[in-house]
């Protein structure tokens, strides 16, 4: 069994480099399927979700040259199948992007219903609505999604009923090679949505408005290969290290990030009493006092990201006063609160609201990582807690954080990666 053992408390100090954005990369890899040629990608995070995506692409006929752990050339000249095995796609959520991209190339596509973190109901009705608007027929049966088209997809107006990252990206992917103009309204504006549109435009797609409420895609008949595209830095990994610096009353320079993307997190850290200095591509976070209390409501970008609320809760666990987190994206994102209670946190969650009363100290305990971001929060709690925190179920964490153990160790944390009782220090 894999686990992390975090021996606290510690004060994080030093510099950390942020990796490429998971949620951009998991869309850009399938987007490469739209071109019958090569795409050279840089700053690809080396995480298990990405390795799973390479496996899927190779199963379809992609030839991948692994230049370094963060750089690949994907050659999709000869894709020979649009049927993706249940075993490969059911493991993670972002496999749904294969529908949008393969529909640009094939008349019939089959994937299994996507898996991913358990955050409550995760419907894909808005993805289906977008594909159907463009002329595809979608059938969901026996755990699989079947998408078919009898002719080239045709551009159309699409109004999304909910602001969805995945449906926005899938609508863009399927409209890229469609005939005519698609206007997508009520779209997600997350940095990774913009990065996917920039990547497609670098291949010759005609996408305007990514990052605003309305995106216009003028369909093209083919795309060109990409000689070099560098994926943006990960907003949530950046935020995770910023919060960890503040929680441990440390002083950390978070490098290779985009400060503009961090504004909702920066604002809350300042409200909590941290000092945040922004530079061109780095952010320094330091803190030297007990956090003040604050409240958060998660919202689509540029609101406070749902993927940062578990990490931010650790500041509230130790704050002076009482804070509140309202989760408005996912119905079941507070499973981690029971784990924090084991560490001495005064935290209670009812439905989509958590109330957290600050305590003086957290204490190390065996805790479980319920999902990717909850797992990161458990590590942060372990860094500040007195004693040893054993974090299990860490496959979730390894899905989305590159070298997390090494990165925290580099900042002075005492953290070990243990697999089958064999200890690996993370230096
Ligand atoms: C993306 O998930 C991210 N995953 C999630 O990141 C993130 O939590 C989420 O966006 C919100 O920011 C990837 O990018 C791979 P949504 P996604 O569609 O696209 C509802 C992480 O830790 N909805 O924006 O699946 C849905 O139920 C993760 O990295 C529908 O009703 O999320 C939710 O309430 C986990 N119908 C809301 O929209 C649909 O067809 C937003 O979901 C689609 C979504």
């Amino acid at each position: 069994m894999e686990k992390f053992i975090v021996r606290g408390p510690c004060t994080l100090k030093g510099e950390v480099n942020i990796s490429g954005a998971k949620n951009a990369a998991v869309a850009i890899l399938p987007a490469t399927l739209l071109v019958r040629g090569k795409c050279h990608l840089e700053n690809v995070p080396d995480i298990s979700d990405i390795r799973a995506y390479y496996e899927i692409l190779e199963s379809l006929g992609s030839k991948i040259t692994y230049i370094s752990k963060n750089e690949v050339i994907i050659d999709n000249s000869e894709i020979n199948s649009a049927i993706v095995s249940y075993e490969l796609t059911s493991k993670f959520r972002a496999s749904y992007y294969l529908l949008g991209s393969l529909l640009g190339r094939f008349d019939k596509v089959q994937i299994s219903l996507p898996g991913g973190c358990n955050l409550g109901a995760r419907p894909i009705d808005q993805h289906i609505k977008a594909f159907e608007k463009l002329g595809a027929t979608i059938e969901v049966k026996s755990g699989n999604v079947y998408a078919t088209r009898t002719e080239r997809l045709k551009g159309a107006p699409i109004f999304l009923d909910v602001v969805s990252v995945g449906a926005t990206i899938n609508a863009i992917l399927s409209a890229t090679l469609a005939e005519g103009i698609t206007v997508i309204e009520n779209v997600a504006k997350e940095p990774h949505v913009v990065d996917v549109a920039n990547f497609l435009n670098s291949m010759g797609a005609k996408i305007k408005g990514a990052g605003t409420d309305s995106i216009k895609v003028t369909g093209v008949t083919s795309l060109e290969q990409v000689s070099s595209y560098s994926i943006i830095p990960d907003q949530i990994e950046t935020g995770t290290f910023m919060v960890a610096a503040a929680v441990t009353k440390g002083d950390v320079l978070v490098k290779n990030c985009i400060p503009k993307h961090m504004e909702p997190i920066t604002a809350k850290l300042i409200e909590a009493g941290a000092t945040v200095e922004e530079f061109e591509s780095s952010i320094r976070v330091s803190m030297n006092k007990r956090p003040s209390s604050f409240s958060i409501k998660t919202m689509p970008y540029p609101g406070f990201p749902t993927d940062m609320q578990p990490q931010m809760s650790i500041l509230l666990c130790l704050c002076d006063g009482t804070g509140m987190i309202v989760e408005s994206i996912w119905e079941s994102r507070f499973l981690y609160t029971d784990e924090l209670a084991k560490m001495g946190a005064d935290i209670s969650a009812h439905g989509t609201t958590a109330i957290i009363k600050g305590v003086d100290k957290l204490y190390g305990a065996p805790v479980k990582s319920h999902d990717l971001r909850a797992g990161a929060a458990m590590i942060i709690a372990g860094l500040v807690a007195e004693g040893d925190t054993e974090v299990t179920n860490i496959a979730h964490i390894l899905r989305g954080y590159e070298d997390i153990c090494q990165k925290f160790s580099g900042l002075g944390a005492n953290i070990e990666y243990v697999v089958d009782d064999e200890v690996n220090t993370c230096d």
Side-chain angles (χ1 to χ4, degrees):
M1 187 177 64
E2 291 180 305
K3 58 190 171 193
F4 286 132
I5 297 177
V6 190
R7 303 186 198 284
C10 75
T11 301
L12 296 182
K13 281 197 189 319
E15 298 181 357
V16 62
N17 266 310
I18 296 305
S19 301
K22 167 180 92 76
N23 289 344
V26 293
I28 286 175
L29 291 187
T32 65
L33 287 164
L34 288 169
V35 64
R36 290 164 200 271
K38 293 181 184 174
C39 295
H40 184 165
L41 300 176
E42 293 169 61
N43 207 31
V44 190
D46 183 27
I47 51 178
S48 64
D49 266 9
I50 293 298
R51 290 191 284 271
Y53 236 123
Y54 291 147
E55 210 183 321
I56 290 179
L57 291 178
E58 286 176 328
S59 77
L60 299 176
S62 304
K63 303 259 178 310
I64 305 183
T65 310
Y66 299 92
I67 297 173
S68 71
K69 73 175 195 165
N70 302 117
E71 191 178 350
V72 286
I73 296 174
I74 302 175
D75 184 351
N76 289 332
S77 306
E78 287 170 38
I79 296 300
N80 41 42
S81 168
I83 299 176
V84 195
S85 91
Y86 178 86
E87 200 205 331
L88 293 175
T89 43
S90 59
K91 280 187 203 155
F92 66 118
R93 183 79 186 155
S95 52
Y96 51 35
Y97 293 132
L98 291 161
L99 282 172
S101 51
L102 285 169
L103 259 183
R105 198 158 167 161
F106 290 90
D107 292 342
K108 286 191 176 142
V109 180
Q110 180 190 328
I111 71 163
S112 71
L113 279 169
C117 283
N118 176 18
L119 308 171
R122 299 190 75 176
I124 57 164
D125 57 301
Q126 297 305 305
H127 303 238
I128 293 174
K129 174 179 172 174
F131 299 140
E132 288 179 338
K133 278 274 181 189
L134 300 185
T137 304
I138 310 295
E139 207 183 350
V140 181
K141 60 177 185 199
S142 312
N144 288 318
V145 186
Y146 300 85
T148 48
R149 62 174 167 92
T150 50
E151 54 182 352
R152 189 176 166 201
L153 296 178
K154 283 204 171 53
I158 299 170
F159 191 97
L160 297 177
D161 300 334
V162 290
V163 177
S164 156
V165 169
T168 301
I169 292 178
N170 248 335
I172 296 174
L173 289 171
S174 51
T176 293
L177 293 178
E179 187 185 336
I181 293 175
T182 300
V183 178
I184 317 159
E185 304 279 3
N186 196 29
V187 295
K189 294 179 274 201
E190 269 67 4
H192 29 290
V193 174
V194 178
D195 203 38
V196 176
N198 287 342
F199 170 69
L200 290 167
N201 283 339
S202 78
M203 296 202 278
K206 291 195 175 143
I207 302 160
K208 284 192 176 154
T212 72
D213 289 320
S214 168
I215 295 176
K216 180 177 169 188
V217 185
T218 305
V220 294
T221 47
S222 63
L223 296 172
E224 294 146 24
Q225 27 186 40
V226 177
S227 55
S228 169
Y229 190 86
S230 183
I231 292 171
I232 53 164
D234 197 297
Q235 179 205 28
I236 305 302
E237 189 197 10
T238 307
T240 300
F241 281 99
M242 289 170 72
V243 171
V247 166
T248 61
K249 297 206 179 79
D251 184 349
V252 173
L253 183 67
V254 186
K255 292 167 75 177
N256 181 35
C257 63
I258 300 180
K260 173 85 189 145
H261 294 168
M262 306 313 302
E263 281 170 355
I265 297 150
T266 299
K268 281 294 157 194
L269 284 174
I270 291 172
E271 208 179 314
T275 302
V276 183
E277 286 174 84
E278 291 181 5
F279 306 98
E280 198 183 325
S281 59
S282 57
I283 298 185
R284 181 175 174 187
V285 179
S286 58
M287 179 110 173
N288 57 15
K289 55 183 172 202
R290 186 171 186 188
S292 308
S293 63
F294 55 89
S295 292
I296 291 173
K297 182 171 184 184
T298 65
M299 303 282 279
Y301 188 83
F304 191 90
T306 172
D307 294 343
M308 275 305 300
Q309 63 96 335
Q311 303 90 313
M312 208 67 184
S313 75
I314 313 302
L315 268 177
L316 286 177
C317 286
L318 296 163
C319 77
D320 184 9
T322 301
M324 182 167 75
I325 300 178
V326 178
E327 171 59 49
S328 70
I329 310 289
W330 300 117
E331 62 187 24
S332 175
R333 202 159 201 177
F334 285 124
L335 295 175
Y336 70 86
T337 55
D338 285 347
E339 306 300 313
L340 291 179
K342 289 183 201 163
M343 300 178 74
D346 185 345
I347 184 165
S348 59
H350 303 282
T352 54
T353 302
I355 306 286
I356 308 172
K357 189 164 178 257
V359 294
D360 289 338
K361 262 186 196 176
L362 293 178
Y363 297 90
V367 290
K368 192 172 156 192
S369 165
H370 281 282
D371 64 61
L372 167 58
R373 309 305 171 186
M378 293 306 121
I379 294 181
I380 297 175
L383 295 172
V384 75
E386 203 164 274
D388 292 358
T389 297
E390 192 177 297
V391 187
T392 52
N393 228 15
I394 63 169
H396 283 300
I397 305 175
L398 302 176
R399 283 186 39 218
Y401 287 94
E402 177 176 326
D403 294 339
I404 190 164
C405 194
Q406 290 85 340
K407 288 186 185 185
F408 274 122
S409 266
L411 294 171
N414 185 340
I415 174 168
E416 289 166 356
Y417 169 68
V418 177
V419 56
D420 294 332
D421 294 329
E422 188 183 317
V423 177
N424 300 272
T425 52
C426 298
D427 302 330

